[in-house]
């Protein structure tokens, strides 16, 4: 019987959930584009530089394997062949060194083909990374449960730090927690948390997202302790269209049980100066005060 080798294990952490996965068959060389989009910029530059060096070294070995394949090779060794390969793959064509045989012409033709393809691939990846839409949305580090008009309200703050117009912004708020069906079967349950307003026609500055905790709410009767026991997480996603670029922007944030503050309220962000100008202070977006505190300003 064929026995599998040891499978790779990957740990994924999302909020309070830590999951080790195995046999997922996620191999970077089979999903190169996604891999290049996910790694950091320094890692991507290092990867491209490594491919460039290895490719040129490979063709340099082919040139040096057959003496006379490169005329006027200088220096007449692997280093000279490497630099000739660089000049060939980049189509620089200095003119001093050139293919000196049919074999040299064949190898240089193959290398030019690989050079054109590699430049096209690298250009596409660089453009995709530069043009990828990025929403500069800042979320409060904690959410609060506070009374508003006699009702318990879950409130989360979000702010558009780019301060451009994001049109038709929509929000979805969900509660994710672990439950058990019977004795042995574990479920990860997802409940929608209905927002008082789930769309914002023009998102420029800030947005207070509110969910009413009533009898029908999945948060009814919940406390910090009960949420922590079920490894609960509140997940917020925003999406809208950037008016400047026409691209769809997306942002998300999650709050663990210890990041949900009951009987707290956010510090006021919006104040008005004596000359009638509104002032929005982003530095207090995550500052909360206990209910009953008189502190409404920094």
């Amino acid at each position: 019987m064929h026995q599998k080798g040891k499978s790779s294990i990957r740990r994924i952490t999302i909020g309070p959930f830590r999951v080790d996965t195995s046999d997922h068959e996620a191999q970077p060389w089979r999903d190169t584009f996604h891999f290049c989009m996910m790694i950091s910029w320094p890692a991507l530059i290092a990867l491209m530089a490594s491919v460039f060096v290895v490719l040129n070294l490979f063709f340099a070995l082919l040139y040096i394997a057959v003496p006379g394949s490169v005329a006027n090779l200088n220096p007449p060794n692997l280093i000279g062949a490497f630099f000739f390969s660089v000049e060939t793959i980049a189509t620089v064509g200095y003119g001093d060194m050139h293919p000196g045989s049919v074999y040299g012409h064949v190898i240089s033709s193959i290398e030019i083909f690989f050079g054109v393809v590699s430049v096209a691939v690298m250009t596409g990846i660089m453009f995709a990374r530069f043009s990828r839409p990025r929403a500069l949305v800042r979320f409060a580090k904690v959410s609060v449960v506070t009374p508003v008009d006699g009702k318990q309200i879950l409130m989360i703050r979000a702010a558009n730090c780019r301060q451009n117009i994001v049109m038709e912004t929509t929000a979805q708020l969900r509660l994710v927690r672990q439950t058990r069906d019977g004795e042995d079967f574990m479920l990860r349950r997802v409940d929608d948390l209905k927002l008082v307003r789930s769309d914002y026609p023009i998102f420029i500055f800030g947005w207070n997202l509110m969910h009413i905790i009533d009898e029908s709410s999945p948060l009814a009767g919940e406390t910090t302790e009960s949420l922590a026991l079920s490894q609960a997480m509140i997940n917020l996603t925003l999406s809208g269209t950037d008016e400047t670029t026409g691209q769809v922007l997306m942002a998300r944030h999650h709050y663990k049980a210890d990041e949900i503050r009951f009987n707290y309220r956010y510090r006021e962000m919006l104040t008005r100066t004596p000359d009638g100008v509104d002032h929005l202070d982003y530095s207090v977006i995550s500052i909360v005060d206990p209910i009953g505190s008189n502190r409404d300003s920094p």
Side-chain angles (χ1 to χ4, degrees):
M1 183 175 66
H2 177 69
Q3 185 175 359
K4 281 187 176 181
K6 187 176 180 180
S7 60
S8 61
I9 297 178
R10 180 185 180 189
R11 170 159 292 186
I12 300 175
T13 302
I14 303 177
F17 302 113
R18 292 184 298 175
V19 181
D20 289 337
T21 62
S22 60
D23 292 324
H24 47 80
E25 297 182 357
Q27 299 171 337
W29 55 88
R30 293 186 177 180
D31 198 5
T32 308
F33 178 75
H34 186 266
F35 175 76
C36 292
M37 293 293 289
M38 293 298 295
I39 61 177
S40 64
W41 275 107
L44 178 64
I45 298 301
L47 175 63
M48 289 183 173
S50 299
V51 171
F52 180 79
V53 171
V54 170
L55 190 61
N56 281 287
L57 185 60
F58 171 75
F59 280 101
L61 291 172
L62 294 180
Y63 288 125
I64 206 71
V66 179
S69 59
V70 180
N72 302 323
L73 184 63
N74 185 27
N77 51 30
L78 181 61
I79 296 177
F82 177 82
F83 287 126
F84 174 74
S85 174
V86 171
E87 296 163 11
T88 301
I89 204 169
T91 65
V92 175
Y94 287 128
D96 188 18
M97 292 188 292
H98 57 274
S101 65
V102 174
Y103 172 84
H105 281 290
V106 170
I107 298 300
S108 63
S109 299
I110 296 173
E111 183 175 12
I112 290 173
F113 172 77
F114 274 96
V116 171
V117 172
S118 62
V119 168
V121 171
M122 291 182 183
T123 301
I125 292 173
M126 296 291 282
F127 176 77
R129 287 190 63 123
F130 272 112
S131 61
R132 182 171 54 180
R134 181 168 175 251
L136 293 182
V137 177
R138 183 177 177 183
F139 297 94
K141 295 180 180 179
V142 295
S143 59
V144 297
V145 177
T146 184
V148 177
D149 295 332
K151 300 177 181 179
Q152 285 293 99
I153 300 291
L154 171 69
M155 185 179 296
I156 300 175
R157 270 181 174 173
N160 180 9
C161 293
R162 188 174 283 138
Q163 298 180 357
N164 65 326
I165 295 178
V166 180
M167 302 182 300
E168 301 300 331
T169 307
T170 59
Q172 292 82 36
L173 192 64
R174 296 178 176 91
L175 174 65
V176 184
R177 53 186 167 176
Q178 288 189 170
T179 59
R180 285 191 176 274
D181 184 9
E183 296 182 358
D184 300 322
F185 193 63
M186 182 178 292
L187 294 173
R188 185 155 292 140
R189 181 174 176 178
V190 180
D191 293 306
D192 292 327
L193 300 179
K194 184 179 179 181
L195 291 168
V196 175
R197 186 174 187 87
S198 61
D199 60 275
Y200 208 163
I202 300 177
F203 182 32
I204 303 178
F205 300 114
W207 188 1
N208 288 326
L209 298 115
M210 296 183 289
H211 164 73
I212 299 176
I213 304 177
D214 53 19
E215 295 80 6
S216 63
S217 170
L219 288 174
E222 295 286 355
T223 63
T224 302
E225 292 75 17
S226 64
L227 292 172
L229 190 62
S230 62
Q231 293 186 327
M233 173 182 69
I234 291 177
N235 188 69
L236 172 64
T237 58
L238 299 179
S239 63
T241 303
D242 190 322
E243 186 183 59
T244 305
T245 64
Q247 294 176 312
V248 176
L249 303 178
M250 293 178 288
R252 65 178 177 86
H253 195 77
H254 61 261
Y255 297 92
K256 298 181 290 186
D258 59 353
E259 296 170 333
I260 305 171
R261 304 293 173 84
F262 286 81
N263 296 318
Y264 276 79
R265 63 181 176 184
Y266 286 120
R267 185 79 58 83
E268 187 65 56
M269 289 179 62
L270 183 64
T271 58
R272 178 162 291 183
T273 61
D275 55 354
V277 177
D278 290 335
H279 175 68
L280 194 64
D281 187 2
Y282 286 87
S283 66
V284 300
I285 189 172
S286 299
I287 298 179
V288 296
D289 297 311
I291 296 297
S293 172
N294 294 323
R295 190 168 185 180
D296 291 331
S297 60

